[in-house]
Amino acid sequence: EITSLLSLYGGQFNNQQEIRVNSPFWILNIPSEEMARGLMKRTVCAKSIFELWGHGRSAGELYTSLKSYPVEKMLPYLQSDSTYKIRIHTFNKTLTQAEKIKKIDALEFLPFNGRVNLKSPDHVFWILEDYGMDPNSVPEEPLDVYFGRWIADGQRELIESYSVKKRHFIGNTSMDACLSFIMANHGRVKPNDVVFDPFVGTGGLLISSAHFGAYVYGTDIDYNTIHGLGKASRKNQKWRGPDENIRANLRQYGLEKYYLDALVSDFSKPIWRKGMLFDAIITDPPYGIREATRRTGSQKETVKSSERSTENHIFISSSYHLSDIFFDLLKFAAEYLVMGGRLVYWLPVYRPEYTEEIIPRHPCLKLISNCEQMLSSHTSRRLITMEKVKEFKDQDHNSYALDGQYMPYKGHNSFREKYFSGVTKRIAKEEKDNQK
C-alpha cells in the first residue's frame, strides 16, 4: 500500500535501510511535508509519519545522530513563543512512567526554548523504540531508536466509520472496510477517476474508491443483488428492505454524487464498446464457495429450459470456471484500462501447492505486487495488483502466460483450470470441517 501511494504522491524507501518485514518502522525519503500529509490522508496501514531528526541502534547512537542534525532545521519548532511535548512509543515492550521521564530528560541537550504543554501543544515530538517482534524474547535494550517531529496520522479511523457492521446494505461476502481501502490504494485511485467493479455484489469496493473522489461503476450477474431484492444477509432479518441497494450505501456515506450506475450483466459476455474506459478495475471475483461462479448459458441451452428462476431472474445453466474468470478479467483489463491504469483483485490459493507461476499473466499487464492474506494453515488469498503497460492489440486477445511464455488460451484443459478447481474444493472442504 505504501509503495503504491509513494508512486502516486512522490517519494521512495530509503536506499540505506534494509526494509525489514519484521519491523513496524520504515524510513522514507519524501520531498516535502505536503507530500507526506497527502500520503497519510490515504493510508490505512500506517499509523503516523514523522520528520526524522535522529536514529540509532542505541540511546548513545541516537544522541550522536541528533547532535549532527542541522540546528537550522530544528529552530523553527523550538522557538520561545511555541509550545511542545515529547511522547514515547515502545513496540513490544512497556515502560514505567519513571523510565519514560528518564528518557525524555536525557534529551535536554536539544535547544528547546518553548514551554511544555501536554494538552494542546504546537509541536509534538516522539521517541520511538523497536524491541523486535517476539513477545517471548524481548531484548533488554531496543534494536532501533528514533526521534522525530510528528507530522500526521494515517486513516485508521476509516476502518471503524466504514465498518460493514454499520452498513445499510450488505451481502454474505461484503468486503471488510480495511481491505477495501487497501485495494483502492493499490489501485492508486484519485479524484475524478472512473473505477469499475465487474463483480460488484453489494458495492463494498465502490465505497472506498468513491471516498477518494472517484466515480464508480459496477456490474453483476445477480439480478436480486443489483436491485436489492430477496433474502437478507443480516442476522434476524428475513428479507431485504425497500431501500437496501448499492446507491443507498453510497448515500449513507455522503458519496452518492460519485455513483454512476450498476448493471445486471454477465462478465463472460462484455457489453462495452471498444476503447479505453476505466482508470482502475478493483474487484473480488467469486470463488465458487460462498458465492457461485456463474454465467448465462448458450442460446441452445436456454431454449431447452422453459423454467425461469425467480431467485436469479434469468435461468443460469452454465458454471463459470475459475480459470476462465481470471483469464476474462485480465483480457478485459488489458483492453479497457487506460495506460497506467491498474487491475486489483483477489486470487484464492492452496498454500502447499502454490507457486508464483500460477498467477495469471497478460502481455499488456505488468505484475506490481502480490500480497498474501492468510485464511488458514493451508489456504490463503493473494491480493494481485497489475498495471497496464502496453496498448491492447488484436493478437493479445487470447494471450495468457504459462511459465513466462505467452500463448493462446486453451480453456478448461489448462493446468490452471485443474489447479483452481482443486483450490475451490479444498477451501470448501476446509470450511465445512471448520463448521463441524
Side-chain angles (χ1 to χ4, degrees):
E1 186 207 42
I2 297 297
T3 304
S4 293
L5 292 176
L6 286 174
S7 69
L8 186 63
Y9 286 97
Q12 61 185 9
F13 287 103
N14 190 310
N15 293 330
Q16 297 176 349
Q17 184 204 23
E18 179 187 355
I19 300 173
R20 298 173 301 162
V21 293
N22 61 342
S23 172
F25 302 106
W26 282 357
I27 298 178
L28 310 177
N29 287 324
I30 299 179
S32 69
E33 187 171 317
E34 181 184 0
M35 286 185 178
R37 292 184 185 277
L39 178 76
M40 300 311 286
K41 286 178 180 177
R42 293 288 302 262
T43 176
V44 292
C45 288
K47 281 190 173 183
S48 304
I49 194 165
F50 308 87
E51 181 183 64
L52 185 62
W53 286 15
H55 165 229
R57 300 281 181 178
S58 64
E61 285 187 17
L62 172 65
Y63 303 151
T64 302
S65 177
L66 283 171
K67 289 173 183 175
S68 64
Y69 189 74
V71 176
E72 61 272 17
K73 291 185 177 181
M74 293 185 183
L75 289 180
Y77 310 104
L78 307 179
Q79 298 297 319
S80 58
D81 58 349
S82 65
T83 59
Y84 73 96
K85 75 172 177 180
I86 300 175
R87 301 188 63 179
I88 295 181
H89 173 76
T90 54
F91 187 83
N92 198 30
K93 188 172 184 176
T94 302
L95 299 180
T96 65
Q97 191 62 26
E99 288 173 324
K100 290 181 180 180
I101 292 173
K102 183 178 179 181
K103 289 177 182 289
I104 292 173
D105 288 344
L107 297 174
E108 61 183 2
F109 62 88
L110 292 175
F112 287 107
N113 295 315
R115 293 174 293 104
V116 174
N117 184 331
L118 300 181
K119 289 187 177 181
S120 56
D122 297 324
H123 310 294
V124 182
F125 302 92
W126 284 74
I127 300 171
L128 307 167
E129 296 187 341
D130 181 6
Y131 288 87
M133 299 288 284
D134 187 356
N136 298 315
S137 180
V138 180
E140 192 66 31
E141 297 297 326
L143 305 176
D144 284 283
V145 189
Y146 307 87
F147 180 84
R149 178 177 63 90
W150 174 83
I151 294 176
D153 288 333
Q155 302 299 307
R156 300 286 295 175
E157 74 279 357
L158 293 178
I159 299 171
E160 179 62 26
S161 58
Y162 282 86
S163 171
V164 174
K165 295 177 182 178
K166 303 174 183 177
R167 194 166 298 167
H168 187 64
F169 177 48
I170 62 170
N172 294 332
T173 56
S174 292
M175 182 63 65
D176 169 80
C178 178
L179 294 177
S180 179
F181 280 104
I182 289 173
M183 291 177 76
N185 283 333
H186 274 241
R188 299 194 301 190
V189 173
K190 57 187 182 298
N192 299 319
D193 277 356
V194 177
V195 177
F196 177 58
D197 183 353
F199 304 98
V200 70
T202 56
L205 296 180
L206 302 187
I207 293 170
S208 55
S209 294
H211 174 84
F212 293 133
Y215 293 94
V216 293
Y217 200 94
T219 60
D220 203 285
I221 198 171
D222 194 319
Y223 177 93
N224 285 349
T225 301
I226 290 293
H227 290 279
L229 304 173
K231 294 181 180 180
S233 298
R234 206 177 296 277
K235 190 178 180 181
N236 300 325
Q237 181 183 339
K238 191 171 183 181
W239 301 100
R240 287 174 175 147
D243 192 34
E244 285 192 52
N245 52 54
I246 298 172
R247 182 185 290 275
N249 274 352
L250 285 130
R251 187 186 305 128
Q252 176 184 351
Y253 301 111
L255 302 172
E256 188 177 2
K257 65 181 180 179
Y258 296 112
Y259 180 60
L260 297 178
D261 209 345
L263 296 179
V264 180
S265 172
D266 178 0
F267 184 64
S268 69
K269 298 175 173 61
I271 58 175
W272 308 98
R273 69 175 65 178
K274 299 297 181 183
M276 296 177 289
L277 294 173
F278 306 113
D279 297 285
I281 298 170
I282 299 175
T283 192
D284 182 26
Y287 312 142
I289 303 161
R290 285 184 291 171
E291 293 287 344
T293 54
R294 300 172 299 174
R295 58 180 167 189
T296 53
S298 67
Q299 186 176 4
K300 184 177 179 181
E301 290 170 325
T302 306
V303 169
K304 282 182 180 178
S305 173
S306 59
E307 179 186 359
R308 290 178 66 83
S309 167
T310 55
E311 182 181 351
N312 296 312
H313 190 69
I314 300 170
F315 183 76
I316 306 298
S317 62
S318 177
S319 63
Y320 197 1
H321 291 274
L322 210 55
S323 60
D324 286 344
I325 289 178
F326 295 126
F327 167 70
D328 288 344
L329 182 60
L330 266 65
K331 181 176 69 173
F332 182 88
E335 188 167 1
Y336 291 102
L337 276 176
V338 301
M339 284 297 294
R342 288 194 168 186
L343 166 66
V344 184
Y345 71 97
W346 288 100
L347 181 77
V349 300
Y350 182 65
R351 300 185 74 236
E353 297 178 6
Y354 167 78
T355 63
E356 193 163 308
E357 284 72 28
I358 207 70
I359 298 170
R361 305 292 182 100
H362 192 281
C364 296
L365 302 172
K366 176 185 176 183
L367 180 66
I368 299 296
S369 66
N370 172 10
C371 308
E372 184 179 31
Q373 183 196 18
M374 295 279 291
L375 300 176
S376 72
S377 59
H378 288 83
T379 60
S380 66
R381 59 179 180 175
R382 306 189 80 91
L383 184 60
I384 306 298
T385 303
M386 309 186 88
E387 186 173 311
K388 184 171 178 178
V389 294
K390 176 178 173 286
E391 293 286 356
F392 184 84
K393 305 292 183 184
D394 290 340
Q395 60 266 29
D396 298 322
H397 190 73
N398 288 318
S399 294
Y400 87 113
L402 176 62
D403 296 331
Q405 300 296 318
Y406 290 101
M407 58 189 70
Y409 183 72
K410 297 179 181 178
H412 309 326
N413 294 324
S414 71
F415 86 107
R416 283 200 179 89
E417 172 53 35
K418 296 175 184 177
Y419 176 84
F420 287 121
S421 293
V423 167
T424 304
K425 290 175 183 176
R426 289 183 178 96
I427 295 176
K429 183 180 182 300
E430 204 157 292
E431 284 197 352
K432 287 180 181 178
D433 292 342
N434 290 339
Q435 288 172 358
K436 290 178 182 178

